[in-house]
Amino acid sequence: MSTPLPSDETKIQVSDSALQPVKSTGDPNHANSLDSSDFPEGGATAWGTVLGAFLIQFCGAGYSTSYGVFQDFYAQTYLTNCTPSAIAWIGSVNALLLTSVGLVSGRLLDRGAFYHVMKIGCLLQCLFLFMLSLAKPNGYYQIFLSQGIGSGVAIGLTHVPSIAVVSHHFQRRRPLAMGFVVAGASMGSILQPIMLNHLINGSLGFANGVRASAGMISGLLLIAYPLMRTRLPPKPQAVSYTRILQNSLRDCAYVCACLWGITFEVGFLFISFYLQLDSRMHGLSKGFSFYSLTIFNSGSLIGRLTVGAVSSYVGVPNAIIGCSFISSALIFSMIGLRSAASVALIGISYGFFSGGCTALSSPLVSYLTPEMSDIGARTGILFATSGNLGAPICGAILTSDYIWWKPAVFAGVSGSYEAVFFFG
């Protein structure tokens, strides 16, 4: 795809001091060609990009990680003829595409096609959310195609570029800035479960409730798109994934980071998909169960913001190792879920440390990447290789009899390996 070029009227000015804010072109179709060694570390353009990326994460990853609401609603109301594993495949495919499409969108970011990718992704996300509202009860494949595949591809187009573009503006403060961006996913997964539970389980019903949420997301995406700006010039030659993969496979630290991502997703998606359903099946009140995901994601938000700031002092590798150890141990506590207090404790504690891991994944890639121009591609590779088979496997282990301790043990054992890979 061709690289956007500045217009004749647009003058790109670079200050002699890297401490001064970078001036925007004012045109979202054009990228600034600036020296990659000059990081403004702030300014209106940089923080505007952070805010726009925050909103993209709120609408994209925030919506996807709220799938536990749909898992509960589909299992008990809308897809009653499907098994928990089959229902989990919808959210898992959505999450898999969210990350794997990053292989393409990350490369396009490196090639300077950021604005085209974001525009297409935002439009498709709005379209497929409205298409989801047309799905009929027990229409599994209608929901699978619109929510699982369509929405997954759309969110995947915007997910990696919106995170990686922050690296154009920050270096020293990059963990803090990226932590704020990915906190948008936590904020979305805090507020949207509340909204979705009251919409689709309330008087509006599934169709109108989904349409209402789609309208809100469309408005936020319309605000987010013009806020974001690229700063670094695109690489003059096409990024070679063959070269990047070859270099990455020889990088033991990066390989261990990818293995960490695979094992981390098993435990994370188990709790994210099944915490609300687990609460309902153990006799907790419907009102409290609706807030279980909000409690979990509130802890995640605190963790993303806190750990991102702490990592600036202790280092990204040290912070992510500590969070990985603790979060993997907490997965086993799902075996003892019996009361509202246990749901709140598990949700807050696991959410905090898993949120720290999520916030540090992108800074970890930046830390392990020697060439700035490869950050988008390497971030996409990490997200794509994370895999999202854990939730369907846990659903198959859970069975229609809902034997909860079995998937909890499986997810806990799988998650235990996430910390081990950092010592490989």
Side-chain angles (χ1 to χ4, degrees):
M1 186 174 292
S2 60
T3 302
L5 298 176
S7 64
D8 293 335
E9 296 78 17
T10 304
K11 304 298 183 183
I12 303 176
Q13 302 176 354
V14 183
S15 173
D16 293 333
S17 170
L19 296 178
Q20 295 181 4
V22 178
K23 295 184 178 181
S24 170
T25 64
D27 187 350
N29 293 318
H30 302 141
N32 293 352
S33 297
L34 299 175
D35 187 351
S36 62
S37 64
D38 296 331
F39 291 89
E41 302 291 346
T45 301
W47 289 114
T49 299
V50 170
L51 177 59
F54 175 92
L55 293 176
I56 292 293
Q57 294 298 309
F58 179 94
C59 297
Y63 200 93
S64 293
T65 52
S66 301
Y67 183 76
V69 174
F70 292 99
Q71 179 78 27
D72 179 26
F73 180 76
Y74 292 156
Q76 301 199 62
T77 305
Y78 216 67
L79 296 177
T80 53
N81 60 348
C82 297
T83 64
S85 179
I87 295 172
W89 273 110
I90 300 172
S92 294
V93 169
N94 179 282
L96 177 62
L97 290 172
L98 183 152
T99 55
S100 61
V101 173
L103 286 170
V104 177
S105 59
R107 179 173 184 174
L108 293 174
L109 166 65
D110 293 335
R111 289 291 296 136
F114 172 79
Y115 300 107
H116 300 292
V117 172
M118 296 301 298
K119 185 185 300 182
I120 293 171
C122 291
L123 290 175
L124 288 178
Q125 184 177 351
C126 299
L127 171 64
F128 283 112
L129 283 178
F130 281 107
M131 292 296 293
L132 174 63
S133 68
L134 302 177
K136 303 300 181 182
N138 290 318
Y140 178 81
Y141 288 104
Q142 296 174 346
I143 296 175
F144 184 85
L145 291 174
S146 57
Q147 187 173 16
I149 297 178
S151 183
V153 171
I155 297 173
L157 287 173
T158 61
H159 182 64
V160 170
S162 66
I163 296 175
V165 75
V166 176
S167 298
H168 287 207
H169 302 275
F170 297 91
Q171 185 177 53
R172 180 178 55 85
R173 304 172 72 179
R174 185 178 298 155
L176 179 61
M178 283 188 169
F180 180 80
V181 170
V182 297
S186 282
M187 186 64 71
S189 55
I190 289 171
L191 299 179
Q192 295 197 61
I194 300 175
M195 177 187 69
L196 289 170
N197 271 314
H198 285 85
L199 288 175
I200 65 179
N201 290 287
S203 57
L204 286 180
F206 178 79
N208 290 327
V210 172
R211 291 188 191 108
S213 67
M216 181 202 71
I217 287 176
S218 299
L220 292 177
L221 292 177
L222 184 63
I223 296 172
Y225 172 74
L227 285 175
M228 293 180 290
R229 295 287 188 274
T230 59
R231 191 187 72 94
L232 301 180
K235 198 168 183 179
Q237 296 180 350
V239 177
S240 172
Y241 268 116
T242 302
R243 176 187 61 81
I244 295 175
L245 284 172
Q246 289 175 347
N247 293 338
S248 299
L249 289 174
R250 290 193 292 265
D251 187 344
C252 293
Y254 182 75
V255 170
C256 288
C258 291
L259 293 174
W260 164 83
I262 294 173
T263 54
F264 171 75
E265 286 294 331
V266 174
F268 179 81
L269 290 181
F270 168 64
I271 293 184
S272 178
F273 278 28
Y274 293 103
L275 182 61
Q276 178 171 320
L277 181 59
D278 194 353
S279 302
R280 291 283 301 276
M281 298 301 294
H282 277 94
L284 275 68
S285 67
K286 185 177 181 180
F288 179 82
S289 297
F290 282 176
Y291 287 92
S292 58
L293 286 178
T294 297
I295 294 171
F296 162 64
N297 290 308
S298 296
S300 180
L301 173 61
I302 298 171
R304 294 182 191 213
L305 294 176
T306 304
V307 177
V310 171
S311 66
S312 299
Y313 298 95
V314 303
V316 172
N318 293 330
I320 203 168
I321 287 173
C323 289
S324 297
F325 265 120
I326 299 174
S327 63
S328 61
L330 288 170
I331 298 174
F332 290 99
S333 62
M334 284 287 287
I335 300 174
L337 189 150
R338 294 291 185 276
S339 63
S342 62
V343 172
L345 184 60
I346 293 171
I348 287 290
S349 56
Y350 181 79
F352 179 88
F353 291 103
S354 64
C357 291
T358 304
L360 295 175
S361 59
S362 293
L364 179 65
V365 175
S366 300
Y367 177 85
L368 297 175
T369 303
E371 297 183 31
M372 285 293 299
S373 59
D374 292 343
I375 286 180
R378 274 201 163 193
T379 303
I381 292 171
L382 175 66
F383 288 167
T385 55
S386 294
N388 295 279
L389 299 178
I393 294 174
C394 288
I397 297 173
L398 178 64
T399 72
S400 298
D401 295 326
Y402 296 102
I403 306 174
W404 288 100
W405 70 267
K406 291 183 178 180
V409 170
F410 171 77
V413 171
S414 300
S416 299
Y417 286 99
E418 68 185 72
V420 174
F421 285 124
F422 279 107
F423 295 96

